[in-house]
Amino acid sequence: MTSIKKCEVCNENDFKYKCPQCRIKYCSVKCYKQHKAEVCKPPLKIEEEKNNPVLEVQKKESLEEEGEITGDESDDETDTKDKVPIELLQKLEQSSEITKMLENPHLRAMMENLYNSDNCGLDVSHAMQEPIFTEFADECLKIVQPQKID
């Protein structure tokens, strides 16, 4: 089965992300914002999924069909393509723009809430509604995923 590699919002670029609520695939912050302009249906609550082994099997099968995991992968393993190299993490740490943004107590409180969240996907989608968080996310993405100029 061929997995969908294109952004489900613009249908132009390969997707890089999934909506934390409805799992639609998108390629950029612009497409995420366009998608969030419409109401999307959130997935089952994490607790419901954890307590339902049938849903866990279906979720794993769905990921296998999409080519995101293979049947022989452990649940604890993560795909290296989704990991940020240490050099880029160090660039985040050294960024004066990021440091300046993190001086904002509202942004720091939002980050702390996300760190302590039991439902990160939902909380990130709420945070993305805040301009200061979106600017912070955009700045981080500029560093860890610089756009290639053709």
Side-chain angles (χ1 to χ4, degrees), residues 42-61:
L44 290 174
K45 292 186 173 46
I46 292 172
E47 290 304 313
E48 292 176 39
E49 286 184 19
K50 285 181 182 174
N51 296 327
N52 190 334
V54 173
L55 288 176
E56 282 297 314
V57 169
Q58 289 173 343
K59 182 177 174 184
K60 186 173 181 180
E61 288 172 353

Side-chain angles (χ1 to χ4, degrees), residues 92 95-103 136 139-140 143:
L92 282 173
S95 168
S96 59
E97 187 64 30
I98 299 274
T99 302
K100 183 178 178 183
M101 291 175 133
L102 288 171
E103 290 175 359
F136 177 78
E139 190 63 33
C140 290
I143 294 169

Side-chain angles (χ1 to χ4, degrees), residues 75-98:
D75 289 336
D76 293 334
E77 293 179 350
T78 57
D79 195 336
T80 56
K81 72 177 179 163
D82 291 332
K83 292 184 181 179
V84 177
I86 190 73
E87 300 83 19
L88 293 177
L89 291 175
Q90 289 169 340
K91 284 185 178 183
L92 282 173
E93 183 180 27
Q94 296 164 356
S95 168
S96 59
E97 187 64 30
I98 299 274

Side-chain angles (χ1 to χ4, degrees), residues 108-122:
R108 283 198 321 270
M110 292 175 74
M111 298 297 290
E112 187 173 339
N113 287 337
L114 287 173
Y115 180 78
N116 295 320
S117 173
D118 292 329
N119 190 349
C120 289
L122 182 61

Side-chain angles (χ1 to χ4, degrees), residues 2-136:
T2 306
S3 65
I4 299 171
K5 298 286 184 186
K6 294 289 181 191
C7 171
E8 294 178 40
V9 178
C10 70
N11 290 314
E12 293 175 10
N13 304 311
D14 288 345
F15 80 91
K16 296 179 185 175
Y17 314 101
K18 289 184 182 177
C19 174
Q21 287 187 293
C22 69
R23 304 276 194 225
I24 190 171
K25 297 170 185 172
Y26 60 95
C27 66
S28 64
V29 173
K30 178 181 174 186
C31 284
Y32 177 80
K33 288 178 180 178
Q34 182 179 342
H35 165 65
K36 292 313 285 180
E38 302 171 10
V39 177
C40 63
K41 182 180 175 187
L44 290 174
K45 292 186 173 46
I46 292 172
E47 290 304 313
E48 292 176 39
E49 286 184 19
K50 285 181 182 174
N51 296 327
N52 190 334
V54 173
L55 288 176
E56 282 297 314
V57 169
Q58 289 173 343
K59 182 177 174 184
K60 186 173 181 180
E61 288 172 353
S62 172
L63 290 172
E64 288 173 3
E65 286 175 7
E66 293 175 8
E68 293 183 26
I69 63 169
T70 60
D72 58 354
E73 285 180 322
S74 163
D75 289 336
D76 293 334
E77 293 179 350
T78 57
D79 195 336
T80 56
K81 72 177 179 163
D82 291 332
K83 292 184 181 179
V84 177
I86 190 73
E87 300 83 19
L88 293 177
L89 291 175
Q90 289 169 340
K91 284 185 178 183
L92 282 173
E93 183 180 27
Q94 296 164 356
S95 168
S96 59
E97 187 64 30
I98 299 274
T99 302
K100 183 178 178 183
M101 291 175 133
L102 288 171
E103 290 175 359
N104 183 309
H106 180 61
L107 178 60
R108 283 198 321 270
M110 292 175 74
M111 298 297 290
E112 187 173 339
N113 287 337
L114 287 173
Y115 180 78
N116 295 320
S117 173
D118 292 329
N119 190 349
C120 289
L122 182 61
D123 291 343
V124 166
S125 87
H126 286 123
M128 289 299 287
Q129 303 302 313
E130 296 282 337
I132 189 152
F133 185 85
T134 304
E135 290 172 15
F136 177 78

